[in-house]
Amino acid sequence: SIDASALSGGVTVARSDAASTPQFRIFNHTRSSGSLTINNLTIQNGSVVGSGGGISGQNRVTLINSTVPGNSASDDGGGVHTRGLLTNVTLTNSTVTGNNAGTNGGGIHNDSFIGIGTAGTVTLTNSLVLGNEASTNPQIRGNVTLNNSAYGFASGESTGDTFVGLTINDVFLNPEPAASAPTTAGDYRLVMGSPAIDAGDAAAAAG
């Protein structure tokens, strides 16, 4: 576990965007069992030939009060990539945006070893996965459960329990289009009248 919850401003872990910086992912969890939990971190600018630009994990990955922007992978999972038995990705009070994957799951790619190509579970609570890009499943590759959350907004569409039928510009002040990914640009404060205002679960926000 990586826990920065005691720090009011959190911690940013980033690869430099200078042209001379070699490619590497930010976090690589290689244990075949167990889990990776990240709390109050920003994970950005990871870049890999392969899968998992920001985070590559085995089995369970949990993000709490964290953001994953501007990462890229030539294959799957620009922001987060997991694979293993009964895999699951859980986001609480977190945002995954502006990531790019060359193949599948621009924001999150979650595969289970149970059956070739079987999608694992992705659970979002008070969280948003948006503005990511990939050839297939630009936001999430996985079986998604939504709790006061939404994902989508590629090419203007939205999928979620609150934001159906809206575009990213209805929600945020100055978001970057998905075509710009990987990017950490954009202003993701909520625009006046945004349906995301007071749309979260207060009990989960306490975490």
Side-chain angles (χ1 to χ4, degrees):
S1 297
I2 303 168
D3 188 354
S5 59
L7 303 175
S8 60
V11 172
T12 296
V13 183
R15 169 183 164 272
S16 169
D17 57 7
S20 60
T21 305
Q23 289 183 298
F24 61 87
R25 71 172 53 90
I26 307 302
F27 289 115
N28 191 26
H29 177 252
T30 58
R31 291 188 62 185
S32 59
S33 61
S35 62
L36 171 65
T37 300
I38 292 172
N39 192 343
N40 207 27
L41 262 66
T42 295
I43 299 158
Q44 69 184 43
N45 290 341
S47 179
V48 295
V49 175
S51 297
I55 301 169
S56 178
Q58 296 284 336
N59 291 314
R60 296 182 297 277
V61 172
T62 299
L63 300 178
I64 304 167
N65 300 325
S66 295
T67 60
V68 182
N71 302 280
S72 65
S74 63
D75 294 336
D76 301 326
V80 180
H81 177 266
T82 60
R83 199 173 187 195
L85 293 173
L86 300 175
T87 63
N88 60 73
V89 176
T90 302
L91 271 64
T92 302
N93 308 329
S94 296
T95 301
V96 177
T97 186
N99 302 283
N100 182 286
T103 304
N104 201 340
I108 298 172
H109 187 278
N110 188 18
D111 263 359
S112 172
F113 285 152
I114 298 180
I116 297 175
T118 301
T121 300
V122 178
T123 302
L124 308 181
T125 301
N126 292 359
S127 296
L128 298 168
V129 179
L130 52 96
N132 302 286
E133 188 64 275
S135 297
T136 306
N137 300 311
Q139 307 312 319
I140 299 174
R141 152 68 174 173
N143 298 311
V144 183
T145 298
L146 295 169
N147 302 305
N148 303 97
S149 300
Y151 70 100
F153 309 115
S155 303
E157 94 281 1
S158 172
T159 303
D161 54 3
T162 303
F163 306 149
V164 173
L166 300 178
T167 71
I168 193 170
N169 293 293
D170 295 316
V171 181
F172 298 104
L173 189 62
N174 187 27
E176 282 290 301
S180 299
T183 180
T184 58
D187 188 338
Y188 288 91
R189 290 176 295 174
L190 300 180
V191 71
M192 185 178 295
S194 170
I197 295 173
D198 295 328
D201 177 9

